[in-house]
Amino acid sequence: MDYVLRTNRLSKRYGGKAVVHNLHLNIRQGDIYGFLGQNGAGKTTTLRMLMGLIRPTEGEIELFGQELNRGRSKAAMERIGAIIEYPGFYLNLSAVENLDIHRRLMGMGNKEYIEEALSSVGLIDASNQKVKDYSLGMKQRLGIARALLHHPELLILDEPTNGLDPAGIKEIRQLFLNLARLRGITIMISSHLLSEVEQLATRVGIIHQGSLMEEIDYADLQRKTRHYLELRVDDDKKAAYLLEQKLGVSDYRVAGPGILHLYDFLEQSTKVNFTLTSEGVGVKEIRLSGDSLEDYFLKLTGGAPLA
Ligand SMILES: Nc1ncnc2c1ncn2[C@@H]1O[C@H](COP(=O)(O)OP(=O)(O)OP(=O)(O)O)[C@@H](O)[C@H]1O
Ligand SMILES: [Mg+2]
């Protein structure tokens, strides 16, 4: 397994207060990693440590298989592009001029990269327009273009869709998918909204009050948050037997005494009921149940609203 970024016990304290606590993050090559948490959870602090903008109080960071000790290797940092908090631009200059200043600051020789970066975020037609005339969505995309300028392998973006309308969010989502699929770039994005990384993330890390509550592949998260029929019966063994024999069900579990969770036949509760009752099983209740992704996220983060 190729890990692009890993942390071990990564922690940050401010004045004795643990803002980030013992994080173990594991981001693989090609992941779109959604780093999720409420306001104040510690996302920006974590990303700032990853980028070397602040020093961890404890713990280690490994980038591209190499541990970063005190000094970070320039070579490793050159493989990362990032936007942490709001990208600042010279508003009276055009997009091209802004990127050119950045290119020179970064010591990159290649001017063609500017056009390429602007094209990849869909801003080529507005490249000579002053940034002050850009919409918020265009500015966000320009920030991404700047982070992409030196052809990084890993993009770290702090709330890249903050403040965008649904259409803008959709556009940026498509941009990330293209960067990941077509160019193989690994992407880490933080967000306080699960819905923003849905249909995008391949892996999700959920941080709450500085601690990682869960790190999980998106497909597993989806499996965990499936809907099911909850059956309350007087004889769970007989009910299970009948479900298997009469309906060919294998996707179920006994969730407690007299309680079965059935992941099939969600739309056919009448048929399930009939199958059981006609063979003498008492059915007290059948209802559709299960956490939605959002419910699950809310439970992990203490039930407080996220937005
Ligand atoms: N320099 C600092 N000194 C003291 N406390 C800090 C400092 N930076 C951040 N904090 C505190 O650390 C906690 C986490 O902040 P952080 O900015 O990392 O959260 P976040 O998850 O990015 O939140 P948001 O969604 O609002 O951006 C907050 O309680 C914040 O007040
Ligand atoms: Mg933040």
mmCIF file of all heavy atoms in Angstrom, residues 160-196:
data_model
loop_
_atom_site.group_PDB
_atom_site.id
_atom_site.type_symbol
_atom_site.label_atom_id
_atom_site.label_comp_id
_atom_site.label_asym_id
_atom_site.label_seq_id
_atom_site.Cartn_x
_atom_site.Cartn_y
_atom_site.Cartn_z
ATOM 1 N N PRO A 160 -12.346 24.108 0.459
ATOM 2 C CA PRO A 160 -12.275 24.760 -0.856
ATOM 3 C C PRO A 160 -13.619 25.207 -1.409
ATOM 4 O O PRO A 160 -13.657 26.014 -2.336
ATOM 5 C CB PRO A 160 -11.656 23.691 -1.758
ATOM 6 C CG PRO A 160 -11.997 22.402 -1.095
ATOM 7 C CD PRO A 160 -11.992 22.681 0.379
ATOM 8 N N THR A 161 -14.700 24.690 -0.853
ATOM 9 C CA THR A 161 -15.998 25.088 -1.407
ATOM 10 C C THR A 161 -16.754 26.023 -0.462
ATOM 11 O O THR A 161 -17.934 26.303 -0.681
ATOM 12 C CB THR A 161 -16.864 23.847 -1.711
ATOM 13 O OG1 THR A 161 -16.891 23.010 -0.565
ATOM 14 C CG2 THR A 161 -16.309 23.062 -2.871
ATOM 15 N N ASN A 162 -16.058 26.512 0.549
ATOM 16 C CA ASN A 162 -16.692 27.436 1.491
ATOM 17 C C ASN A 162 -17.314 28.634 0.783
ATOM 18 O O ASN A 162 -16.661 29.299 -0.006
ATOM 19 C CB ASN A 162 -15.627 27.959 2.456
ATOM 20 C CG ASN A 162 -16.084 27.819 3.887
ATOM 21 O OD1 ASN A 162 -17.189 27.347 4.143
ATOM 22 N ND2 ASN A 162 -15.243 28.224 4.811
ATOM 23 N N GLY A 163 -18.557 28.890 1.063
ATOM 24 C CA GLY A 163 -19.190 30.093 0.520
ATOM 25 C C GLY A 163 -19.703 29.962 -0.898
ATOM 26 O O GLY A 163 -20.253 30.907 -1.448
ATOM 27 N N LEU A 164 -19.524 28.792 -1.506
ATOM 28 C CA LEU A 164 -20.015 28.642 -2.883
ATOM 29 C C LEU A 164 -21.473 28.189 -2.897
ATOM 30 O O LEU A 164 -21.932 27.513 -1.983
ATOM 31 C CB LEU A 164 -19.179 27.603 -3.632
ATOM 32 C CG LEU A 164 -17.713 27.922 -3.828
ATOM 33 C CD1 LEU A 164 -17.071 26.868 -4.715
ATOM 34 C CD2 LEU A 164 -17.541 29.299 -4.453
ATOM 35 N N ASP A 165 -22.160 28.538 -3.977
ATOM 36 C CA ASP A 165 -23.533 28.064 -4.112
ATOM 37 C C ASP A 165 -23.504 26.621 -4.653
ATOM 38 O O ASP A 165 -22.452 26.127 -5.049
ATOM 39 C CB ASP A 165 -24.355 29.004 -5.002
ATOM 40 C CG ASP A 165 -23.787 29.137 -6.399
ATOM 41 O OD1 ASP A 165 -23.017 28.235 -6.813
ATOM 42 O OD2 ASP A 165 -24.081 30.120 -7.078
ATOM 43 N N PRO A 166 -24.655 25.937 -4.640
ATOM 44 C CA PRO A 166 -24.659 24.527 -5.046
ATOM 45 C C PRO A 166 -24.054 24.297 -6.437
ATOM 46 O O PRO A 166 -23.352 23.311 -6.651
ATOM 47 C CB PRO A 166 -26.140 24.152 -5.015
ATOM 48 C CG PRO A 166 -26.725 25.065 -3.999
ATOM 49 C CD PRO A 166 -25.966 26.357 -4.127
ATOM 50 N N ALA A 167 -24.298 25.228 -7.367
ATOM 51 C CA ALA A 167 -23.735 25.043 -8.715
ATOM 52 C C ALA A 167 -22.210 25.138 -8.658
ATOM 53 O O ALA A 167 -21.503 24.359 -9.310
ATOM 54 C CB ALA A 167 -24.303 26.097 -9.659
ATOM 55 N N GLY A 168 -21.719 26.090 -7.877
ATOM 56 C CA GLY A 168 -20.271 26.258 -7.730
ATOM 57 C C GLY A 168 -19.640 25.038 -7.075
ATOM 58 O O GLY A 168 -18.562 24.584 -7.486
ATOM 59 N N ILE A 169 -20.326 24.495 -6.073
ATOM 60 C CA ILE A 169 -19.813 23.298 -5.386
ATOM 61 C C ILE A 169 -19.726 22.132 -6.364
ATOM 62 O O ILE A 169 -18.757 21.396 -6.402
ATOM 63 C CB ILE A 169 -20.722 22.933 -4.182
ATOM 64 C CG1 ILE A 169 -20.579 24.009 -3.101
ATOM 65 C CG2 ILE A 169 -20.372 21.562 -3.629
ATOM 66 C CD1 ILE A 169 -21.506 23.844 -1.925
ATOM 67 N N LYS A 170 -20.766 22.030 -7.207
ATOM 68 C CA LYS A 170 -20.801 20.942 -8.179
ATOM 69 C C LYS A 170 -19.628 21.042 -9.171
ATOM 70 O O LYS A 170 -18.991 20.051 -9.507
ATOM 71 C CB LYS A 170 -22.139 21.002 -8.931
ATOM 72 C CG LYS A 170 -22.586 19.673 -9.443
ATOM 73 C CD LYS A 170 -23.996 19.738 -9.962
ATOM 74 C CE LYS A 170 -24.173 18.641 -10.997
ATOM 75 N NZ LYS A 170 -25.347 18.824 -11.824
ATOM 76 N N GLU A 171 -19.374 22.269 -9.604
ATOM 77 C CA GLU A 171 -18.264 22.505 -10.542
ATOM 78 C C GLU A 171 -16.922 22.109 -9.937
ATOM 79 O O GLU A 171 -16.104 21.470 -10.582
ATOM 80 C CB GLU A 171 -18.188 24.001 -10.827
ATOM 81 C CG GLU A 171 -18.744 24.426 -12.148
ATOM 82 C CD GLU A 171 -18.620 25.941 -12.273
ATOM 83 O OE1 GLU A 171 -17.544 26.514 -11.959
ATOM 84 O OE2 GLU A 171 -19.625 26.527 -12.656
ATOM 85 N N ILE A 172 -16.728 22.528 -8.696
ATOM 86 C CA ILE A 172 -15.456 22.227 -8.026
ATOM 87 C C ILE A 172 -15.323 20.725 -7.792
ATOM 88 O O ILE A 172 -14.246 20.152 -7.939
ATOM 89 C CB ILE A 172 -15.357 23.000 -6.685
ATOM 90 C CG1 ILE A 172 -15.386 24.502 -6.962
ATOM 91 C CG2 ILE A 172 -14.135 22.570 -5.891
ATOM 92 C CD1 ILE A 172 -14.086 25.215 -6.880
ATOM 93 N N ARG A 173 -16.458 20.095 -7.470
ATOM 94 C CA ARG A 173 -16.433 18.640 -7.268
ATOM 95 C C ARG A 173 -15.976 17.947 -8.550
ATOM 96 O O ARG A 173 -15.144 17.047 -8.534
ATOM 97 C CB ARG A 173 -17.834 18.185 -6.875
ATOM 98 C CG ARG A 173 -17.954 16.687 -6.775
ATOM 99 C CD ARG A 173 -19.348 16.271 -6.402
ATOM 100 N NE ARG A 173 -19.689 16.685 -5.066
ATOM 101 C CZ ARG A 173 -20.924 16.857 -4.618
ATOM 102 N NH1 ARG A 173 -21.947 16.688 -5.431
ATOM 103 N NH2 ARG A 173 -21.149 17.200 -3.379
ATOM 104 N N GLN A 174 -16.523 18.392 -9.683
ATOM 105 C CA GLN A 174 -16.142 17.809 -10.964
ATOM 106 C C GLN A 174 -14.654 18.033 -11.243
ATOM 107 O O GLN A 174 -13.947 17.146 -11.718
ATOM 108 C CB GLN A 174 -17.005 18.420 -12.079
ATOM 109 C CG GLN A 174 -16.966 17.651 -13.377
ATOM 110 C CD GLN A 174 -17.314 16.172 -13.200
ATOM 111 O OE1 GLN A 174 -18.310 15.833 -12.573
ATOM 112 N NE2 GLN A 174 -16.466 15.284 -13.720
ATOM 113 N N LEU A 175 -14.191 19.224 -10.886
ATOM 114 C CA LEU A 175 -12.775 19.548 -11.074
ATOM 115 C C LEU A 175 -11.896 18.584 -10.264
ATOM 116 O O LEU A 175 -10.911 18.037 -10.776
ATOM 117 C CB LEU A 175 -12.538 21.003 -10.642
ATOM 118 C CG LEU A 175 -11.097 21.462 -10.504
ATOM 119 C CD1 LEU A 175 -10.372 21.366 -11.834
ATOM 120 C CD2 LEU A 175 -11.050 22.901 -9.990
ATOM 121 N N PHE A 176 -12.277 18.327 -9.020
ATOM 122 C CA PHE A 176 -11.486 17.410 -8.181
ATOM 123 C C PHE A 176 -11.495 16.001 -8.767
ATOM 124 O O PHE A 176 -10.468 15.332 -8.782
ATOM 125 C CB PHE A 176 -12.036 17.367 -6.755
ATOM 126 C CG PHE A 176 -11.806 18.636 -5.993
ATOM 127 C CD1 PHE A 176 -12.668 19.013 -4.974
ATOM 128 C CD2 PHE A 176 -10.726 19.449 -6.280
ATOM 129 C CE1 PHE A 176 -12.460 20.184 -4.267
ATOM 130 C CE2 PHE A 176 -10.512 20.626 -5.577
ATOM 131 C CZ PHE A 176 -11.379 20.992 -4.568
ATOM 132 N N LEU A 177 -12.687 15.581 -9.228
ATOM 133 C CA LEU A 177 -12.759 14.229 -9.803
ATOM 134 C C LEU A 177 -11.836 14.118 -11.006
ATOM 135 O O LEU A 177 -11.133 13.132 -11.174
ATOM 136 C CB LEU A 177 -14.204 13.901 -10.206
ATOM 137 C CG LEU A 177 -15.145 13.573 -9.053
ATOM 138 C CD1 LEU A 177 -16.583 13.434 -9.548
ATOM 139 C CD2 LEU A 177 -14.707 12.290 -8.340
ATOM 140 N N ASN A 178 -11.827 15.167 -11.834
ATOM 141 C CA ASN A 178 -10.952 15.145 -13.010
ATOM 142 C C ASN A 178 -9.483 15.111 -12.614
ATOM 143 O O ASN A 178 -8.691 14.371 -13.196
ATOM 144 C CB ASN A 178 -11.201 16.367 -13.902
ATOM 145 C CG ASN A 178 -12.535 16.259 -14.615
ATOM 146 O OD1 ASN A 178 -13.117 15.177 -14.689
ATOM 147 N ND2 ASN A 178 -13.032 17.377 -15.123
ATOM 148 N N LEU A 179 -9.131 15.926 -11.632
ATOM 149 C CA LEU A 179 -7.724 15.967 -11.204
ATOM 150 C C LEU A 179 -7.290 14.603 -10.669
ATOM 151 O O LEU A 179 -6.178 14.142 -10.924
ATOM 152 C CB LEU A 179 -7.517 17.024 -10.116
ATOM 153 C CG LEU A 179 -7.644 18.481 -10.562
ATOM 154 C CD1 LEU A 179 -7.603 19.417 -9.360
ATOM 155 C CD2 LEU A 179 -6.540 18.856 -11.554
ATOM 156 N N ALA A 180 -8.206 13.963 -9.938
ATOM 157 C CA ALA A 180 -7.866 12.671 -9.351
ATOM 158 C C ALA A 180 -7.828 11.584 -10.427
ATOM 159 O O ALA A 180 -6.871 10.817 -10.513
ATOM 160 C CB ALA A 180 -8.872 12.308 -8.264
ATOM 161 N N ARG A 181 -8.855 11.570 -11.278
ATOM 162 C CA ARG A 181 -8.964 10.470 -12.240
ATOM 163 C C ARG A 181 -8.022 10.636 -13.417
ATOM 164 O O ARG A 181 -7.397 9.686 -13.860
ATOM 165 C CB ARG A 181 -10.389 10.375 -12.777
ATOM 166 C CG ARG A 181 -11.312 9.758 -11.765
ATOM 167 C CD ARG A 181 -12.698 9.626 -12.352
ATOM 168 N NE ARG A 181 -13.648 9.316 -11.281
ATOM 169 C CZ ARG A 181 -14.937 9.609 -11.341
ATOM 170 N NH1 ARG A 181 -15.435 10.223 -12.411
ATOM 171 N NH2 ARG A 181 -15.727 9.299 -10.357
ATOM 172 N N LEU A 182 -7.945 11.853 -13.931
ATOM 173 C CA LEU A 182 -7.169 12.035 -15.160
ATOM 174 C C LEU A 182 -5.699 12.282 -14.876
ATOM 175 O O LEU A 182 -4.840 11.922 -15.661
ATOM 176 C CB LEU A 182 -7.731 13.195 -15.998
ATOM 177 C CG LEU A 182 -9.220 13.092 -16.352
ATOM 178 C CD1 LEU A 182 -9.686 14.310 -17.137
ATOM 179 C CD2 LEU A 182 -9.484 11.819 -17.153
ATOM 180 N N ARG A 183 -5.417 12.907 -13.737
ATOM 181 C CA ARG A 183 -4.013 13.237 -13.477
ATOM 182 C C ARG A 183 -3.430 12.497 -12.287
ATOM 183 O O ARG A 183 -2.264 12.681 -11.954
ATOM 184 C CB ARG A 183 -3.865 14.757 -13.314
ATOM 185 C CG ARG A 183 -4.087 15.425 -14.685
ATOM 186 C CD ARG A 183 -4.186 16.909 -14.643
ATOM 187 N NE ARG A 183 -3.060 17.557 -14.033
ATOM 188 C CZ ARG A 183 -2.967 18.880 -13.875
ATOM 189 N NH1 ARG A 183 -3.927 19.656 -14.326
ATOM 190 N NH2 ARG A 183 -1.923 19.413 -13.311
ATOM 191 N N GLY A 184 -4.262 11.681 -11.668
ATOM 192 C CA GLY A 184 -3.752 10.846 -10.575
ATOM 193 C C GLY A 184 -3.301 11.617 -9.349
ATOM 194 O O GLY A 184 -2.486 11.137 -8.573
ATOM 195 N N ILE A 185 -3.842 12.833 -9.167
ATOM 196 C CA ILE A 185 -3.439 13.637 -8.017
ATOM 197 C C ILE A 185 -4.203 13.174 -6.773
ATOM 198 O O ILE A 185 -5.407 12.932 -6.844
ATOM 199 C CB ILE A 185 -3.716 15.135 -8.296
ATOM 200 C CG1 ILE A 185 -2.890 15.585 -9.510
ATOM 201 C CG2 ILE A 185 -3.396 15.999 -7.082
ATOM 202 C CD1 ILE A 185 -3.126 17.032 -9.905
ATOM 203 N N THR A 186 -3.505 13.024 -5.691
ATOM 204 C CA THR A 186 -4.143 12.700 -4.411
ATOM 205 C C THR A 186 -4.641 14.004 -3.799
ATOM 206 O O THR A 186 -3.934 15.012 -3.827
ATOM 207 C CB THR A 186 -3.109 12.046 -3.467
ATOM 208 O OG1 THR A 186 -2.520 10.938 -4.136
ATOM 209 C CG2 THR A 186 -3.756 11.583 -2.173
ATOM 210 N N ILE A 187 -5.870 13.981 -3.284
ATOM 211 C CA ILE A 187 -6.456 15.234 -2.806
ATOM 212 C C ILE A 187 -6.967 15.068 -1.381
ATOM 213 O O ILE A 187 -7.686 14.114 -1.080
ATOM 214 C CB ILE A 187 -7.638 15.670 -3.713
ATOM 215 C CG1 ILE A 187 -7.186 15.766 -5.175
ATOM 216 C CG2 ILE A 187 -8.213 17.006 -3.257
ATOM 217 C CD1 ILE A 187 -8.303 16.110 -6.152
ATOM 218 N N MET A 188 -6.607 15.994 -0.527
ATOM 219 C CA MET A 188 -7.168 16.027 0.829
ATOM 220 C C MET A 188 -7.954 17.322 0.950
ATOM 221 O O MET A 188 -7.395 18.406 0.765
ATOM 222 C CB MET A 188 -6.041 16.006 1.852
ATOM 223 C CG MET A 188 -6.537 16.080 3.284
ATOM 224 S SD MET A 188 -5.142 16.096 4.442
ATOM 225 C CE MET A 188 -5.985 15.709 5.979
ATOM 226 N N ILE A 189 -9.254 17.208 1.232
ATOM 227 C CA ILE A 189 -10.046 18.427 1.404
ATOM 228 C C ILE A 189 -10.743 18.395 2.748
ATOM 229 O O ILE A 189 -11.282 17.378 3.155
ATOM 230 C CB ILE A 189 -11.128 18.612 0.303
ATOM 231 C CG1 ILE A 189 -11.833 17.307 -0.009
ATOM 232 C CG2 ILE A 189 -10.567 19.206 -0.941
ATOM 233 C CD1 ILE A 189 -12.933 17.468 -1.036
ATOM 234 N N SER A 190 -10.715 19.526 3.428
ATOM 235 C CA SER A 190 -11.440 19.586 4.685
ATOM 236 C C SER A 190 -12.808 20.195 4.419
ATOM 237 O O SER A 190 -13.003 20.940 3.456
ATOM 238 C CB SER A 190 -10.684 20.428 5.702
ATOM 239 O OG SER A 190 -10.810 21.790 5.381
ATOM 240 N N SER A 191 -13.741 19.841 5.268
ATOM 241 C CA SER A 191 -15.078 20.406 5.131
ATOM 242 C C SER A 191 -15.825 20.229 6.442
ATOM 243 O O SER A 191 -15.516 19.337 7.222
ATOM 244 C CB SER A 191 -15.832 19.696 4.009
ATOM 245 O OG SER A 191 -17.151 20.202 3.938
ATOM 246 N N HIS A 192 -16.791 21.106 6.699
ATOM 247 C CA HIS A 192 -17.639 20.865 7.863
ATOM 248 C C HIS A 192 -18.965 20.236 7.433
ATOM 249 O O HIS A 192 -19.841 19.998 8.242
ATOM 250 C CB HIS A 192 -17.856 22.138 8.679
ATOM 251 C CG HIS A 192 -18.495 23.252 7.912
ATOM 252 N ND1 HIS A 192 -17.770 24.073 7.083
ATOM 253 C CD2 HIS A 192 -19.763 23.658 7.856
ATOM 254 C CE1 HIS A 192 -18.596 24.947 6.544
ATOM 255 N NE2 HIS A 192 -19.814 24.724 6.987
ATOM 256 N N LEU A 193 -19.093 19.939 6.136
ATOM 257 C CA LEU A 193 -20.323 19.343 5.630
ATOM 258 C C LEU A 193 -20.052 18.002 4.961
ATOM 259 O O LEU A 193 -19.294 17.921 4.002
ATOM 260 C CB LEU A 193 -20.953 20.259 4.575
ATOM 261 C CG LEU A 193 -21.543 21.571 5.057
ATOM 262 C CD1 LEU A 193 -21.964 22.397 3.860
ATOM 263 C CD2 LEU A 193 -22.732 21.288 5.965
ATOM 264 N N LEU A 194 -20.683 16.992 5.492
ATOM 265 C CA LEU A 194 -20.554 15.680 4.879
ATOM 266 C C LEU A 194 -21.024 15.705 3.428
ATOM 267 O O LEU A 194 -20.425 15.101 2.547
ATOM 268 C CB LEU A 194 -21.380 14.670 5.678
ATOM 269 C CG LEU A 194 -21.388 13.250 5.154
ATOM 270 C CD1 LEU A 194 -19.999 12.649 5.233
ATOM 271 C CD2 LEU A 194 -22.367 12.393 5.918
ATOM 272 N N SER A 195 -22.103 16.457 3.194
ATOM 273 C CA SER A 195 -22.684 16.458 1.852
ATOM 274 C C SER A 195 -21.694 16.970 0.801
ATOM 275 O O SER A 195 -21.782 16.626 -0.365
ATOM 276 C CB SER A 195 -23.945 17.312 1.829
ATOM 277 O OG SER A 195 -23.634 18.625 2.249
ATOM 278 N N GLU A 196 -20.728 17.780 1.234
ATOM 279 C CA GLU A 196 -19.770 18.305 0.258
ATOM 280 C C GLU A 196 -18.784 17.261 -0.243
ATOM 281 O O GLU A 196 -18.225 17.414 -1.319
ATOM 282 C CB GLU A 196 -18.990 19.472 0.867
ATOM 283 C CG GLU A 196 -19.717 20.758 0.650
ATOM 284 C CD GLU A 196 -18.959 21.936 1.190
ATOM 285 O OE1 GLU A 196 -17.750 21.821 1.457
ATOM 286 O OE2 GLU A 196 -19.598 22.971 1.353
#
